[in-house]
Amino acid sequence: MPSPNTTVSGTSPPTHTPVRPAPPAPAPTKSDRPAGPRRRPALRVPRGVRRAAGPVGLLVVWFLGSTTGVLPESVLASPIDVVQRAVDLTGTGELPQAIAASGRRAAIGFLIGAAVALALSLTAGLFRLGEDVIDASMGMFRAIPWVGLIPLFIVWFGIDETPKIALVALGVTYPLYFNVYGGIRSADAQLIEAGRMAGLGRVGLIRYVILPSALPGALVGLRYALSTAWLALVFAEQVNADAGIGYLMSNAQQYFQTDVIVLCLAVYAVLGLLCDFAVRLLSRRLLAWRASFDGEGA
């Protein structure tokens, strides 16, 4: 009888092989998943159509209110009357001349105000001494309603074009100054430190880090400044003007011509909308490098 330690001829002791874990099952593909009900693609309305829906809806409500008598002509002229008056004033040349006169005042006032605002904001934003001297004074003057300065401007500059241009320049200065100044002071400290580690000096930091960081705020201020320029012009052209959109509006007020008043307001709105559209295009070109949130959903 063989001992326990001896092996039987023709046989070998059993060997134990390690058990390997089974490979993970492959993830189910789209073809393996149970087919559910297919959803129809949602109907997407073009953004241009959606943007125009608001103004077109207001025009429709205005037209219906005029035709049904809810809005009498003595209160608000109908859109048809306004369009007809626009055609008449364009044919006589009064409307193009008024737009040209107002555009010239707005452009000159905007250039002066923008130059002053940029000089002050760069000085206050880049230099501590400039901030101590300028920023508190700008905050104080900002609290003064610039429309209330019209009588003082008439005393200082007379009743010609100068007070009108000065009022536009003053209205442009404040929004552009505070937005550029805020953009400079909100530059990312980590980017500034990285620029210093890369060997940039003060001029290099201003050129390649601080000013590009302030550009979004400057463009926002530019939009506000352009809209404020047209708003200031509405008040400025009520002061002894002999040409311009405000001059037409002032004359229409004396004769209760609501169609001319509405037409002048519409011209102001269209000019402001065109300026805002131009700044939007400029922002897309200058800020193409900057990732931004553009809304979600349809």
Side-chain angles (χ1 to χ4, degrees), residues 35-93:
R38 294 184 178 180
R39 295 181 178 181
R40 295 181 179 181
L43 180 62
R44 298 180 63 89
V45 181
R47 293 195 67 184
V49 176
R50 289 184 291 179
R51 285 179 179 272
V56 172
L58 290 176
L59 287 176
V60 171
V61 172
W62 180 16
F63 175 77
L64 292 177
S66 299
T67 54
T68 57
V70 176
L71 292 175
E73 186 177 355
S74 59
V75 176
L76 187 64
S78 67
I80 298 177
D81 294 338
V82 173
V83 172
Q84 183 62 43
R85 182 55 65 97
V87 173
D88 296 340
L89 292 178
T90 302
T92 58

Side-chain angles (χ1 to χ4, degrees), residues 108-143:
I108 297 174
F110 174 80
L111 291 177
I112 295 174
V116 173
L118 288 177
L120 295 176
S121 60
L122 292 176
T123 304
L126 299 177
F127 303 99
R128 187 172 300 175
L129 178 61
E131 178 187 13
D132 296 338
V133 175
I134 296 174
D135 189 61
S137 301
M138 290 296 292
M140 179 181 63
F141 288 123
R142 178 64 182 87

Side-chain angles (χ1 to χ4, degrees), residues 235-257:
F235 296 98
E237 290 187 335
Q238 304 295 323
V239 181
N240 195 38
D242 56 358
I245 305 173
Y247 172 71
L248 289 180
M249 187 184 302
S250 179
N251 287 343
Q253 180 184 1
Q254 296 179 6
Y255 296 102
F256 299 99
Q257 296 174 334

